[in-house]
Amino acid sequence: PKCFFGLGSNQGDSQAILIQALEEMSRYVRLTRCSFFYETQPLYITQQPFFLNLVIEGFSEDSPVALVQKCKELEQQLGRIPRQRNGPRELDIDLLLHGEWQYSFNHSLGQLHAVQVPHPRISERRFVLDPLADLDPSLWIPGQGTVNDLLAQPDIQAQAIRRLIMPQFRFEAQDGGGAPRSGVIDAASAQEAMRQLAVLKPDILFL
């Protein structure tokens, strides 16, 4: 099924961490599209650095529980340090949507994490909704509404968010015979994204 993931970072070299996360995720998700990058004001705990956020679209045959488990393992692999809930983090990966599933797994068993899709907080997070709108503004979030309708809410519009002036890039790679090959990010696209972010920081230009 088609899946959407939200990624964010506000510790360490966030630009490099997010690009590396995309590269690693492409090993178990056939990534297809990426939103613009956004610099966003933190919610819930506001006394922390701004985040760099994006949303990606892809396809996976894994269950929601399996995908969340792999994402949590990747967070640790790329250096996430346990801190208070909603606090600073090197990398955060949320499974936002998994096809048309409405799914809840609320009991932790061993190393498994609680899972709910659609993600229950999509409707209150502009740092998720704006990147989702880059990919599909009419996307229906089961139980919550369309991305455009959710973005129109006054409390969402009040949240500070700034989109980086940079192109979207797709995840496209081909094998020797020219057929699409899943699981690999177009290196040139990733490098260009990194280059532009490096040029824009620290004097970032925004739309």
Side-chain angles (χ1 to χ4, degrees):
K2 181 185 290 187
C3 305
F4 291 88
F5 299 84
L7 288 78
S9 172
N10 73 343
Q11 295 291 299
D13 188 342
S14 295
Q15 303 161 15
I17 290 171
L18 292 176
I19 293 296
Q20 188 176 357
L22 298 182
E23 293 174 344
E24 295 296 329
M25 289 181 69
S26 70
R27 301 178 189 277
Y28 54 86
V29 178
R30 181 166 62 86
L31 301 177
T32 52
R33 293 191 297 163
C34 178
S35 73
F36 285 81
F37 284 65
Y38 289 81
E39 187 177 62
T40 65
Q41 185 177 25
L43 295 179
Y44 316 121
I45 298 177
T46 58
Q47 299 302 309
Q48 59 177 310
F50 274 44
F51 279 83
L52 195 62
N53 291 98
L54 66 143
V55 166
I56 55 173
E57 172 196 271
F59 292 83
S60 174
E61 297 304 318
D62 285 339
S63 71
V65 170
L67 282 175
V68 169
Q69 184 68 16
K70 289 177 180 179
C71 289
K72 295 305 177 186
E73 291 171 356
L74 178 57
E75 290 175 358
Q76 294 183 3
Q77 176 186 332
L78 296 187
R80 179 166 177 172
I81 299 171
R83 298 182 179 89
Q84 66 188 119
R85 181 177 173 83
N86 298 317
R89 64 209 70 177
E90 288 74 16
L91 176 63
D92 187 52
I93 307 173
D94 287 329
L95 175 61
L96 305 174
L97 293 158
H98 188 282
E100 297 181 355
W101 281 38
Q102 290 184 273
Y103 180 94
S104 181
F105 178 84
N106 294 318
H107 301 286
S108 295
L109 299 173
Q111 296 300 311
L112 296 180
H113 293 266
V115 177
Q116 187 173 349
V117 290
H119 193 286
R121 291 188 170 184
I122 292 176
S123 63
E124 64 189 54
R125 295 176 170 179
R126 190 173 179 185
F127 66 80
V128 170
L129 291 168
D130 269 49
L132 273 175
D134 290 341
L135 304 179
D136 187 353
S138 62
L139 180 67
W140 172 256
I141 313 296
Q144 300 183 41
T146 67
V147 170
N148 267 346
D149 288 345
L150 294 172
L151 270 173
Q153 301 302 311
D155 56 336
I156 294 295
Q157 288 298 312
Q159 296 175 20
I161 184 170
R162 297 186 290 183
R163 186 172 72 176
L164 292 165
I165 299 177
M166 59 172 291
Q168 299 175 26
F169 59 94
R170 292 176 179 267
F171 303 90
E172 297 176 349
Q174 296 183 336
D175 59 24
R181 179 163 57 93
S182 65
V184 180
I185 293 176
D186 176 359
S189 294
Q191 290 173 2
E192 175 63 12
M194 287 290 290
R195 184 193 69 78
Q196 293 197 36
L197 283 170
V199 168
L200 292 172
K201 291 278 190 175
D203 298 316
I204 302 176
L205 299 176
F206 298 95
L207 294 178

